[in-house]
């Protein structure tokens, strides 16, 4: 609330329109921007005024200030109407003119929050810690405890559905939701316990890998402080020391009754840069540091380019990789030089085509023979790859179908236009032939790869580029300049909105055109505009730009 242009009631309206939520404020702000003093509690009918010199540590409980009394009355009525809407007994008391006690109002709001009818809203400022205590109270008062929600659903390693209730006596199951490297204790694995209990020294199973590990220590985290504990129960969130081969999204559970909980889905990286150590001493440290960072952040990837031998780091944007490099210096004391960002292009096909791959080698003794015919079709539903076996009559034995699929999957990693990975392709294997003696899995793998390249070259292959969803917030005076700049970057403006005295410009812009945008936006708007950017989808590259990208890619090769 202390930011320039902060508008609590406009934000409430945006929650309603953009998120299609039903926000119900249980507080309103007392002041805004540099005059923000505290919050007014609509349930308790009082205000909490913070003392500026204490950074949120001390506050006073006072009556509702006269200057916000009218606003308080309006929003308290709205809050009470929302609270009694699904509670007949409370509604009768409210309509009869009774004064509802705070406990009854809280209970009604909590019941509706748990049932997803409303979303209670509080306000404050993180910079000066105003409203933090009331926020924590609201978490306890309104949000569901593990007992208020249904048992977590998962499946056994065999694929059978399985549930785990929030019960200390149920079999242990937890989800690893964050990995952090600590300079003193090593790798910390943050887990949320859904059922059962576990103690230090217990053996647990990683349901994804099938490996068992031992929990060394359990830590209850309090910001940058930690408290060592001996056991945890259903509903707890703790950090474990000693789980060395656990990744974000893995399920850890009791080895006797394994369960796999739903893992988090992470988007694919859209930007690559080459990175190399500045000195020989940094070389060994760089590999270790990048490995730890990749383990912490699943949207960050590291690989070595097989052709150039360079170490390539991939992430979700320019800022993402800048922060990674900054952490290398600050936390791991590794100095590294970073190349120019490279966009992760993709390739696809626009029409159906057939292709044939024949791999025949005759040497002394057994030769090699594999022959496959495939049909390619473009997929438009967002699926990256689909394989279908349409072989009839046994012209290709069943054991050679999978190698054909594997060969095609490998060929997909290096498309036919400029060597970028190919997506949005359906492959049907419909014919081929084999040799009783000379055929092998390797021969059919190569035949599948050759057939794919043959068909893809006939299927009107095109280059795709990542399009980012960009939202720029700028004062109205600079709106024309910002729109003009986005248009010059091949952006497509999708909407213009007014928000708290500023203009919000939403657009789709190719990632290749967004390098250096932060600096350009600051200079255009005297540092008063901000923007956010996230990957949205892939789209075909215009022909003139595609030719430039292809020639550059072939030049590097």
């Amino acid at each position: 609330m202390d930011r320039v242009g902060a508008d609590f009631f406009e934000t409430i309206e945006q929650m309603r329109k953009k998120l299609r939520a039903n926000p119900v404020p249980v507080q309103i702000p007392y002041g805004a921007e540099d005059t923000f003093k505290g919050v007014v509690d609509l349930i308790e009918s009082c205000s909490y005024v913070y003392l500026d010199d204490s950074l949120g540590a001390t506050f006073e409980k006072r009556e509702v200030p006269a200057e916000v009394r009218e606003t308080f009355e309006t929003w308290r009525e709205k809050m009470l109407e929302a609270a009694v809407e699904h509670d007949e007994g409370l509604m009768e008391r409210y309509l009869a003119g009774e004064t509802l006690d705070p406990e009854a109002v809280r209970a009604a709001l909590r019941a509706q929050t748990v049932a997803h009818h409303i979303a209670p809203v509080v306000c404050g400022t993180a910079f000066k810690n105003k409203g933090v205590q009331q926020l924590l109270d609201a978490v306890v008062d309104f949000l569901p405890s593990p007992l208020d929600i249904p048992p977590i659903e998962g499946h056994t390693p065999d694929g059978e559905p399985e549930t785990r209730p929030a019960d200390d006596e149920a079999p242990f199951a937890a989800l690893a939701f964050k990995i952090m490297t600590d300079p003193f204790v090593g790798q910390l694995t943050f887990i949320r316990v859904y059922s059962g209990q576990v103690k230090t020294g217990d053996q647990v199973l990683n349901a994804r890998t099938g490996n068992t590990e031992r929990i060394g220590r359990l830590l209850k985290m309090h910001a940058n402080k930690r408290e060592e504990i001996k056991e945890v129960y259903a509903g707890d969130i703790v950090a474990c020391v000693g789980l060395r081969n656990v990744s974000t999204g893995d399920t850890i559970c009791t080895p006797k009754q394994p369960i796999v909980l739903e893992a988090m889905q992470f988007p694919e990286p859209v930007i690559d840069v080459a990175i190399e150590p500045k000195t020989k001493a940094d070389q060994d440290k760089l590999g270790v540091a990048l490995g730890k960072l990749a383990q912490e952040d699943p949207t960050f990837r590291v690989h070595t380019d097989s052709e150039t031998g360079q170490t390539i780091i991939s992430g979700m944007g320019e800022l993402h990789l800048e922060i990674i490099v900054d952490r290398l210096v600050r936390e791991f004391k590794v100095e590294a030089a970073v190349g120019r960002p490279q966009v992760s292009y993709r390739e696809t096909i626009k029409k159906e085509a057939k292709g044939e791959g024949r791999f025949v080698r005759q040497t002394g003794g057994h030769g090699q023979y594999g022959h496959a015919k495939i049909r390619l079709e473009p997929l438009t539903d967002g699926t990256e790859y689909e394989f279908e076996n349409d072989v009839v009559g046994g012209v290709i034995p069943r054991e050679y179908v999978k190698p054909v699929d594997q060969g095609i999957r490998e060929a997909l990693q290096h498309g036919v236009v400029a060597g970028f990975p190919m997506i949005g392709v359906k492959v049907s294997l419909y014919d081929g032939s084999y040799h009783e003696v000379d055929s092998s899995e390797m021969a059919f793998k190569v035949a599948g790869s050759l057939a794919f390249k043959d068909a893809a070259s006939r299927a009107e292959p095109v280059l795709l580029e990542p399009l980012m969803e960009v939202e720029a917030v700028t004062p109205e005076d600079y709106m024309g300049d910002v729109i003009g700049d986005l248009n010059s970057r091949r952006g497509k403006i999708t909407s213009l909105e007014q928000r708290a005295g500023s203009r919000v410009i939403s657009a789709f812009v190719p990632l290749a055109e967004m390098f250096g945008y932060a600096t350009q936006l600051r200079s255009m708007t005297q540092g008063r505009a901000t923007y956010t950017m996230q990957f949205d989808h892939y789209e075909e590259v215009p022909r003139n730009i595609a030719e430039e990208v292809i020639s550059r890619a072939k030049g590097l090769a």
Side-chain angles (χ1 to χ4, degrees):
M1 283 303 304
D2 58 350
R3 285 183 64 175
V4 175
D7 188 329
F8 179 75
F9 304 108
E10 172 63 23
T11 303
I12 296 293
E13 199 54 39
Q14 285 179 32
M15 288 179 189
R16 192 170 282 115
K17 284 181 183 173
K18 290 194 170 184
L19 304 179
R20 296 183 183 168
N22 182 18
V24 176
V26 292
Q27 295 172 359
I28 58 170
Y30 178 24
E33 300 184 4
D34 55 354
T35 62
F36 180 66
K37 299 181 180 70
V39 298
V40 178
D41 193 314
L42 301 180
I43 299 173
E44 293 284 347
S45 300
C46 67
S47 66
Y48 298 100
V49 179
Y50 283 78
L51 306 177
D52 273 337
D53 56 356
S54 69
L55 276 179
T58 56
F59 58 90
E60 294 175 358
K61 185 176 179 179
R62 301 178 185 172
E63 290 186 353
V64 177
E67 59 264 41
V68 295
R69 171 62 70 174
E70 190 177 330
T71 309
F72 163 77
E73 297 290 354
T74 303
W75 284 94
R76 178 172 162 81
E77 283 303 308
K78 290 181 180 180
M79 185 265 303
L80 290 174
E81 286 170 10
V84 303
E85 188 175 353
H86 294 273
D87 188 322
E88 288 185 17
L90 212 57
M91 184 176 281
E92 286 176 14
R93 290 171 58 193
Y94 174 69
L95 295 175
E98 279 188 46
T99 302
L100 302 179
D101 55 287
E103 287 71 24
V105 174
R106 276 198 195 88
L109 290 171
R110 178 187 176 84
Q112 291 205 59
T113 305
V114 172
H116 300 291
H117 292 143
I118 65 166
V121 182
V122 298
C123 58
T125 162
F127 180 59
K128 292 185 178 174
N129 301 316
K130 295 178 181 178
V132 173
Q133 294 88 341
Q134 289 74 31
L135 168 64
L136 294 174
D137 287 342
V139 168
V140 175
D141 289 340
F142 304 121
L143 296 187
S145 83
L147 298 174
D148 292 322
I149 57 177
I152 188 74
E153 294 180 1
H155 59 83
T156 65
D158 298 328
E160 294 296 318
E162 185 92 7
T163 59
R164 288 282 192 274
D167 185 350
D168 295 342
E169 303 306 317
F172 171 69
L175 188 74
F177 65 89
K178 178 182 171 70
I179 306 291
M180 192 172 89
T181 303
D182 187 283
F184 303 107
V185 298
Q187 182 175 302
L188 289 175
T189 305
F190 286 76
I191 64 167
R192 199 281 204 192
V193 182
Y194 282 96
S195 67
Q197 52 185 289
V198 73
K199 300 175 184 174
T200 54
D202 283 358
Q203 292 279 343
V204 293
L205 174 76
N206 183 337
R208 178 180 64 87
T209 63
N211 298 328
T212 56
E213 301 202 41
R214 194 178 74 85
I215 291 181
R217 291 160 62 198
L218 292 166
L219 304 173
K220 190 177 279 189
M221 305 298 286
H222 304 279
N224 60 350
K225 299 185 180 70
R226 53 178 77 94
E227 172 193 343
E228 193 158 337
I229 54 179
K230 294 299 178 189
E231 53 192 340
V232 292
Y233 301 93
D236 285 345
I237 294 176
V238 294
C240 305
V241 180
L243 302 179
R244 304 209 172 275
N245 298 306
V246 173
S247 303
T248 304
D250 283 359
T251 302
I252 60 171
C253 54
T254 174
K256 293 176 183 173
Q257 286 181 264
I259 185 173
V260 181
L261 303 177
E262 184 182 356
M264 291 166 264
Q265 299 299 315
F266 300 104
E268 287 294 310
V270 293
I271 185 170
D272 301 337
V273 299
I275 187 168
E276 57 184 39
K278 286 188 175 177
T279 67
K280 184 78 175 165
D282 288 323
Q283 193 154 358
D284 294 334
K285 290 196 291 184
L286 179 66
V288 174
L290 289 176
K292 288 180 178 176
L293 289 169
Q295 201 167 19
E296 284 184 25
D297 182 356
T299 60
F300 171 64
R301 309 277 173 83
V302 183
H303 73 276
T304 303
D305 190 301
S306 57
E307 293 176 359
T308 64
Q310 288 180 305
T311 300
I312 308 294
I313 58 174
S314 312
M316 300 310 298
E318 216 172 352
L319 180 62
H320 185 194
L321 294 183
E322 278 176 21
I323 291 168
I324 291 286
V325 174
D326 180 58
R327 287 188 64 193
L328 281 173
V329 176
R330 279 188 301 106
E331 296 176 27
F332 298 96
K333 307 292 184 280
V334 178
E335 294 287 342
V338 178
R340 189 177 178 278
Q342 301 292 323
V343 177
S344 290
Y345 291 97
R346 294 288 185 270
E347 297 179 18
T348 193
I349 57 171
K350 294 181 74 173
K351 69 177 187 181
E352 191 176 314
K354 291 182 178 180
E356 182 176 4
R358 187 188 294 271
F359 181 66
V360 183
R361 289 284 184 277
Q362 268 321 123
T363 55
H366 286 313
Q368 296 283 353
Y369 184 91
H371 177 215
K373 292 183 179 180
I374 63 169
R375 181 171 53 252
L376 290 192
E377 299 169 58
L379 290 172
T380 55
D381 61 355
T383 308
E384 292 199 352
Y385 173 66
E386 195 176 301
F387 180 81
E388 199 171 83
N389 178 18
D390 290 341
V391 171
V392 291
V395 291
I396 297 178
R398 187 180 296 274
E399 64 265 26
Y400 296 141
V401 171
K402 191 171 181 185
V404 172
D405 180 24
Q406 289 172 340
I408 292 167
R409 285 177 186 272
E410 286 183 13
L412 278 168
Q413 298 308 307
H414 304 282
V416 294
V417 178
F420 295 108
M422 192 167 265
I423 59 173
V425 177
K426 180 182 178 182
V427 179
S428 304
L429 174 64
Y430 69 91
D431 199 4
S433 60
Y434 75 105
H435 190 279
E436 288 283 358
V437 177
D438 291 346
S439 285
S440 66
E441 290 188 1
M442 180 55 72
F444 272 95
K445 190 173 177 181
V446 176
S449 176
L450 294 171
F452 176 79
K453 287 175 182 173
D454 181 41
S457 60
R458 305 166 192 262
E460 206 175 313
V462 291
L463 200 63
L464 301 176
E465 64 183 346
L467 246 66
M468 312 303 283
E469 184 182 4
V470 177
E471 183 182 89
V473 182
T474 175
E476 190 150 2
D477 299 350
Y478 307 104
M479 185 177 73
D481 292 339
V482 174
I483 290 175
D485 183 63
L486 287 173
N487 284 331
S488 73
R489 294 171 184 269
R490 297 194 284 127
K492 297 173 188 169
I493 309 297
T494 55
S495 71
L496 295 170
E497 292 178 29
Q498 189 109 18
R499 183 189 299 169
S502 298
R503 283 304 188 109
V504 181
I505 304 159
S506 299
F508 289 122
V509 190
L511 176 64
E513 306 291 342
M514 288 300 290
F515 296 137
Y517 183 65
T519 306
Q520 176 69 11
L521 185 66
R522 277 198 297 269
S523 64
M524 273 191 303
T525 62
Q526 298 179 8
R528 294 174 63 191
T530 60
Y531 82 102
T532 56
M533 175 175 83
Q534 64 183 33
F535 170 70
D536 192 81
H537 65 282
Y538 280 97
E539 197 169 279
E540 187 178 341
V541 182
R543 184 179 293 276
N544 59 324
I545 294 165
E547 287 170 2
E548 197 179 306
V549 173
I550 292 164
S551 63
R552 194 164 61 236
K554 288 181 176 174
L556 288 171

